[in-house]
Amino acid sequence: DAKYFLTGSKGAGKSTTAYALWTDPDIRDRYTLLGFTIHDYLNLVETDAGQVIAVMIAHLVELLHDMKDGAGWAEREVYRDLKKILHDLRPAAKVEQVNVNVFGFFVANFKESAPARAEFRKFVDGRFDEVMKLFDELNGLVEQRTGKQTLFVVDDLDKVQSDEVRRAMFQVQLPLLLRPRCAALYSYPIEVDHDPHFESLKRGQANRYVLANVKLTEHPEGPLLAEG
């Protein structure tokens, strides 16, 4: 259940490094890779760790649907309650006409809908233990079916645009990102390494990697080494 944190200045190659995992045969042999960029689901000005967990759950649900694995998890009370939130917010939505499951359709609203974000935040504040129990149950089914550990790659968390949101996510809410019983790699803002308020991320996180931002320029006298 190791958690990995990846950061670096703009252009250092965080996304390139993260997505290279999909081409590594050793990684693919050991893990079921699930990944996303928060650009696709979340609002960069107003997001939180609970929403990140929600998108991770949506990906597990999608994978289990693809595997045709029911196993009763769709009858769980917390899952039914999450679906009810969607219908309360979008009562006219014809979910059956959308090429995505109900919960996936709900989290897709996080990006544009402030009411959706507020409603989910209110829900999670009172029932986060239940939400995480659902996460662990879904992930357990995935790992049982695949015979491999799940590795989530959550990219572009470093693009969060608000100092307040960064402080909340990587200081106050950090335990939520550490909670899932799966391996995960999170990109995070380089500001975390320069702001004394963010020391909680650095303490005790052995799997924290800072990419060097190496810039290459042409030598004024041309190449110093001959080709070949």
Side-chain angles (χ1 to χ4, degrees):
D1 298 347
K3 305 298 184 292
Y4 304 89
F5 292 87
L6 182 67
T7 193
S9 301
K10 182 178 179 180
K14 297 181 290 297
S15 295
T16 301
T17 300
Y19 291 122
L21 297 175
W22 268 265
T23 63
D24 187 318
D26 292 334
I27 295 293
R28 295 181 65 87
D29 286 344
R30 293 173 54 194
Y31 296 103
T32 298
L33 285 159
L34 294 173
F36 58 92
T37 167
I38 65 168
H39 274 296
D40 291 341
Y41 295 95
L42 304 180
N43 187 292
L44 295 178
V45 176
E46 184 190 21
T47 189
D48 57 42
Q51 293 176 43
V52 174
I53 297 297
V55 179
M56 294 167 76
I57 290 177
H59 280 71
L60 291 172
V61 169
E62 290 287 354
L63 183 56
L64 287 167
H65 274 303
D66 291 343
M67 293 176 175
K68 308 294 190 232
D69 193 328
W73 50 265
E75 300 305 315
R76 286 280 299 277
E77 180 182 0
V78 66
Y79 186 80
R80 293 199 305 269
D81 288 347
L82 287 168
K83 290 202 296 183
K84 184 176 183 299
I85 291 176
L86 166 65
H87 290 292
D88 288 345
L89 292 173
R90 300 284 297 278
K94 296 185 181 302
V95 177
E96 65 275 7
Q97 297 180 6
V98 180
N99 188 27
V100 67
N101 70 74
V102 172
F103 191 40
F105 185 45
F106 170 67
V107 298
N109 285 302
F110 284 164
K111 189 176 180 71
E112 304 297 338
S113 172
R117 294 192 296 271
E119 190 71 17
F120 185 77
R121 189 175 297 114
K122 182 171 65 176
F123 177 88
V124 168
D125 283 347
R127 302 180 66 178
F128 191 77
D129 286 343
E130 292 180 67
V131 172
M132 289 311 306
K133 186 175 180 181
L134 174 66
F135 181 104
D136 292 338
E137 181 178 338
L138 296 173
N139 185 57
L141 290 170
V142 168
E143 293 188 348
Q144 183 179 0
R145 288 290 300 272
T146 63
K148 296 187 286 188
Q149 189 178 11
T150 303
L151 170 60
F152 268 98
V153 177
V154 183
D155 192 28
D156 285 333
L157 283 176
D158 56 296
K159 305 295 195 304
V160 171
Q161 296 176 4
S162 163
D163 289 340
E164 182 179 352
V165 171
R166 279 197 293 264
R167 182 171 292 108
M169 183 175 296
F170 294 103
Q171 184 179 15
V172 179
Q173 300 171 356
L174 178 62
L176 306 187
L177 298 179
L178 299 176
R179 181 87 173 267
R181 292 179 181 172
C182 68
L185 183 148
Y186 303 105
S187 63
Y188 73 94
I190 191 65
E191 289 85 355
V192 169
D193 275 3
H194 300 310
D195 191 326
H197 291 99
F198 297 148
E199 285 296 323
S200 57
L201 176 61
K202 292 191 257 187
R203 289 197 301 270
Q205 298 304 319
N207 298 319
R208 186 175 63 86
Y209 302 95
V210 181
L211 298 180
N213 194 6
V214 179
K215 295 183 178 180
L216 302 178
T217 59
E218 293 186 6
H219 193 278
E221 298 179 5
L224 300 182
L225 298 175
E227 292 186 7

